[in-house]
């Protein structure tokens, strides 16, 4: 199994949009209302054109096939990562991609700590981040998802 991360390319966009429209992934990632294809393309074109400097995206490839994405969103206070592995879950691919990404953002940006926000009811993602060295900070945030409240748990990992 050859796991790699690479830049998001235009040829990835159709698959990425399919994932955004996947009901199970919507619940896990908090996509309340998926974007239309036109809205989705507009957002990614803005990123690809450099209009979203606080966002850094990478495609996750397994043996050359797109199976997920990982992202960094930078604020003045914290650097947040997000990850979607849409295929080949529970095979170690996510862990390998996560560590490739963490190494890359440490080298590229000098980031010393990253944060992840995970829904309290997303036990698979909570387990994933915990087993990969993230610790809960005690910080929780309530969001509304499809008319119901959901708690977001903040987790942190030191990269040094």
């Amino acid at each position: 199994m050859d796991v790699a991360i690479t830049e998001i390319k235009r040829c990835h966009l159709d698959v990425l949009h399919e994932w955004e429209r996947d009901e199970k992934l919507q619940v896990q990632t908090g996509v309340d209302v998926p974007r239309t294809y036109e809205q989705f393309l507009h957002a990614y074109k803005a990123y690809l054109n450099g209009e979203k400097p606080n966002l850094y995206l990478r495609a996750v490839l397994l043996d050359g096939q797109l199976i997920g994405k990982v992202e960094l969103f930078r604020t003045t206070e914290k650097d947040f990562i997000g990850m979607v592995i849409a295929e080949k879950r529970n095979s170690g691919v996510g862990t390998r991609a996560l560590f490739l990404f963490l190494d890359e953002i440490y080298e590229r940006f000098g980031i010393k700590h990253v944060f992840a926000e995970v829904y309290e009811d997303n036990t698979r993602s909570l387990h994933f981040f915990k087993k990969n060295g993230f610790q809960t900070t005690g910080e929780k945030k309530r969001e509304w998802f499809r008319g119901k409240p959901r708690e977001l748990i903040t987790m942190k990992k030191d990269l040094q």
Side-chain angles (χ1 to χ4, degrees):
M1 282 195 323
D2 180 34
V3 178
I5 58 172
T6 185
E7 65 188 48
I8 298 283
K9 299 177 181 159
R10 293 194 197 293
C11 65
H12 297 142
L13 297 182
D14 287 348
V15 174
L16 291 171
H17 186 252
E18 283 178 34
W19 293 342
E20 185 170 313
R21 298 186 52 76
D22 181 279
E23 179 69 26
K24 188 174 181 181
L25 291 174
Q26 289 171 12
V27 172
Q28 291 172 341
T29 59
V31 174
D32 201 10
V33 178
R35 296 173 283 188
T36 66
Y37 189 66
E38 291 75 24
Q39 292 167 325
F40 178 86
L41 281 182
H42 179 74
Y44 269 94
K45 283 181 183 176
Y47 169 75
L48 293 170
N49 290 334
E51 298 169 26
K52 296 186 175 189
N54 294 342
L55 185 61
Y56 185 70
L57 298 169
R58 287 290 184 244
V60 177
L61 305 178
L62 176 62
D63 298 328
Q65 296 296 313
L66 179 67
I67 61 149
K69 70 172 183 169
V70 63
E71 62 190 28
L72 173 70
F73 181 74
R74 306 195 75 191
T75 70
T76 54
E77 296 85 30
K78 295 179 182 173
D79 295 303
F80 292 93
I81 65 165
M83 188 168 195
V84 173
I85 300 296
E87 301 177 29
K88 304 291 185 189
R89 293 185 193 128
N90 298 318
S91 65
V93 171
T95 294
R96 181 72 183 125
L98 173 66
F99 281 94
L100 287 170
F101 188 68
L102 294 176
D103 288 344
E104 184 172 320
I105 63 173
Y106 178 78
E107 290 295 320
R108 184 176 182 114
F109 302 110
I111 293 172
K112 295 181 171 61
H113 318 282
V114 292
F115 295 83
E117 291 182 323
V118 181
Y119 286 107
E120 188 173 55
D121 59 359
N122 188 346
T123 56
R124 289 179 74 178
S125 289
L126 286 170
H127 174 74
F128 172 81
F129 283 109
K130 283 179 184 176
K131 82 171 185 155
N132 287 299
F134 283 74
Q135 297 179 347
T136 57
T137 64
E139 183 181 339
K140 288 186 178 185
K141 181 170 42 175
R142 180 171 285 199
E143 286 192 348
W144 288 88
F145 179 74
R146 299 183 180 167
K148 296 178 184 173
R150 283 179 91 184
E151 297 291 328
L152 268 175
I153 295 173
T154 301
M155 304 178 83
K156 178 183 177 184
K157 180 173 179 66
D158 296 326
L159 301 185
Q160 299 180 19

